[in-house]
Amino acid sequence: MRWQEYPYNFEGLDKMLERISSKKIALDRLRPLPSIALKSIKESLTLEWTYNSNSIEGNTLTLVETKLIIEEGITIKGKSLREHFEAVNHQVAIEMIESLVDKNHLLNVHDILIVNGVVLQNIEKEYAGRYRTSGVRISGANFVPPNALKIDDLMTELINWVNEYPIDIVIKAAIVHHRFVWIHPFFDGNGRTARLIFNLLLMQAGFPPAIILKNDRKKYYDALNNSNNGDYSKLLLLVLQALERSLDIYLASLTNTYEDYLPVSQIVEDPHIPYGQEYVSLLARQGKIDSFKEGRNWLTSKQAVLDYIQNRDRNRTFNS
Ligand SMILES: Nc1ncnc2c1ncn2[C@@H]1O[C@H](COP(=O)(O)OP(=O)(O)O)[C@@H](O)[C@H]1O
Ligand SMILES: [Mg+2]
């Protein structure tokens, strides 16, 4: 059987696809998403993506260390330069993927080479962003990746399939993920590049990125081995679970956000808020609290004001 025709069905697949599709519709209804909330969810998912994708491949940085490196430019004592570069490179690669999302962009070979080049920059001199030129083995895998001479054609076939074949995008993304690592076009960075490219497809379809968690590494490798044997179902399930988790994260924080937002006049009635309406409105206008304007009113939340107070107190302590 050809790889395009391997089965992927499992019990409950239709239900799961339906649920995911209704969560996506719910998310789309909230658009345009409030920018402050969006920024914070995006940042935390991006960090998780970088941490988990690198960690699956053996990077020993923790989530917090990864965050310090990416957001603060701090170096972590005892960790190799390579591990630092892996964190930073992955972050840059995500930004690159994001820049391709808006443009109704058709995937091409160039994208894949560039993404791999970024993943391996400052780490691998000769082969970053270049297909491998000889054979490789994947440890623990139940197959040997194809001869290096075939990579060009196999990748072209895959990319054409991605751009032409009419099939649910989520199923397509899972199949691409597998086919990519099966071809194993690079000496290194295949897993990270595959997870970046497959998320590009999901994000182009309006989904958040699906993050394969480090904790699911064994399940993930089993699922890949099943796929090598001609059955995508385990991998599809894993991908759908990852995707649903990201949708849940978005929906939870955005809907909470919305429910808690009230006009400033109501927020200040809460006995825990030590400010009057005028002052809170001022903070809102100045962008000092999480808030947004609806019609003529500023909406904010009790939590936003309390966060402001807490931050202000902390800054005082620092400055004194
Ligand atoms: N049994 C397997 N079958 C197919 N692909 C596999 C298997 N085991 C691992 N892989 C893929 O190979 C990737 C590791 O390849 P590698 O080139 O080292 O990528 P990276 O450097 O990003 O880790 C894994 O992330 C996974 O996607
Ligand atoms: Mg590797």
Side-chain angles (χ1 to χ4, degrees):
M1 205 187 290
R2 299 160 68 228
W3 60 273
Q4 298 94 326
E5 287 142 18
Y6 293 169
Y8 52 76
N9 224 323
F10 57 87
E11 206 188 314
L13 171 61
D14 289 344
K15 278 247 151 58
M16 200 164 182
L17 286 174
E18 255 171 50
R19 211 171 53 231
I20 285 176
S21 148
S22 62
K23 285 182 181 177
K24 177 167 182 293
I25 291 168
L27 182 61
D28 288 340
R29 279 209 195 102
L30 296 175
R31 287 179 204 278
L33 306 175
S35 61
I36 296 182
L38 183 64
K39 189 163 171 274
S40 111
I41 308 169
K42 256 179 99 173
E43 271 176 18
S44 77
L45 274 189
T46 303
L47 175 65
E48 271 199 13
W49 180 0
T50 292
Y51 159 71
N52 282 284
S53 198
N54 282 341
S55 180
I56 283 184
E57 309 305 346
N59 186 301
T60 65
L61 295 168
T62 64
L63 182 83
V64 172
E65 288 170 343
T66 307
K67 185 180 165 76
L68 287 171
I69 292 170
I70 290 170
E71 290 175 13
E72 317 283 335
I74 285 172
T75 54
I76 308 294
K77 218 175 140 193
K79 301 290 177 179
S80 69
L81 206 52
R82 179 194 175 105
E83 294 196 308
H84 283 80
F85 278 129
E86 285 181 342
V88 174
N89 290 353
H90 195 271
Q91 190 65 18
V92 176
I94 292 179
E95 281 160 24
M96 184 165 278
I97 292 290
E98 278 169 349
S99 76
L100 296 176
V101 169
D102 299 328
K103 296 178 188 156
N104 248 335
H105 177 85
L106 276 189
L107 186 65
N108 62 57
V109 182
H110 190 65
D111 301 331
I112 292 174
L113 297 178
I114 294 229
V115 169
N116 180 263
V118 170
V119 164
L120 296 180
Q121 70 190 348
N122 300 316
I123 296 173
E124 163 59 54
K125 281 213 173 69
E126 210 179 337
Y127 285 101
R130 284 185 58 205
Y131 288 156
R132 64 183 161 85
T133 48
S134 63
V136 281
R137 282 174 179 277
I138 309 175
S139 72
N142 57 2
F143 81 110
V144 178
N147 188 299
L149 295 173
K150 294 189 179 156
I151 291 175
D152 242 327
D153 288 347
L154 290 170
M155 290 301 286
T156 304
E157 177 193 48
L158 176 61
I159 290 165
N160 290 339
W161 181 81
V162 169
N163 289 330
E164 287 161 16
Y165 195 72
I167 182 177
D168 186 296
I169 186 65
V170 182
I171 296 171
K172 183 183 269 186
I175 295 176
V176 169
H177 187 147
H178 173 258
R179 184 66 179 174
F180 190 105
V181 289
W182 182 88
I183 299 172
H184 226 75
F186 301 107
F187 278 120
D188 196 16
N190 293 285
R192 284 166 286 175
T193 306
R195 293 185 289 276
L196 285 155
I197 296 294
F198 115 107
N199 272 327
L200 171 60
L201 300 179
L202 292 175
M203 288 156 73
Q204 280 180 329
F207 286 104
I211 299 167
I212 311 282
L213 300 175
K214 152 90 198 292
N215 286 342
D216 286 336
R217 183 174 193 269
K218 185 169 178 327
K219 259 199 223 164
Y220 173 53
Y221 278 35
D222 283 349
L224 289 173
N225 271 336
N226 274 30
S227 304
N228 298 333
N229 287 336
D231 176 4
Y232 291 130
S233 58
K234 268 197 172 173
L235 182 63
L236 181 58
L237 174 62
L238 194 74
V239 165
L240 291 177
Q241 283 169 337
L243 185 58
E244 188 165 19
R245 176 176 171 271
S246 296
L247 282 167
D248 286 342
I249 290 173
Y250 264 85
L251 285 172
S253 51
L254 291 174
T255 44
N256 287 345
T257 311
Y258 273 116
E259 280 166 10
D260 294 340
Y261 275 89
L262 294 169
V264 169
S265 56
Q266 287 177 46
I267 294 292
V268 296
E269 279 170 22
D270 188 299
H272 296 99
I273 301 296
Y275 302 140
Q277 181 171 351
E278 295 218 344
Y279 188 61
V280 176
S281 299
L282 177 68
L283 293 175
R285 279 200 304 279
Q286 292 177 332
K288 291 190 174 157
I289 53 173
D290 189 5
S291 55
F292 62 94
K293 205 168 184 182
E294 201 173 78
R296 296 171 55 211
N297 293 320
W298 280 99
L299 303 195
T300 186
S301 65
K302 180 178 166 186
Q303 194 55 48
V305 179
L306 295 179
D307 284 350
Y308 169 77
I309 295 171
Q310 205 188 0
N311 261 319
R312 184 205 55 188
D313 291 342
R314 196 181 303 144
N315 288 341
R316 278 201 187 140
T317 319
F318 271 118
N319 294 335
S320 61

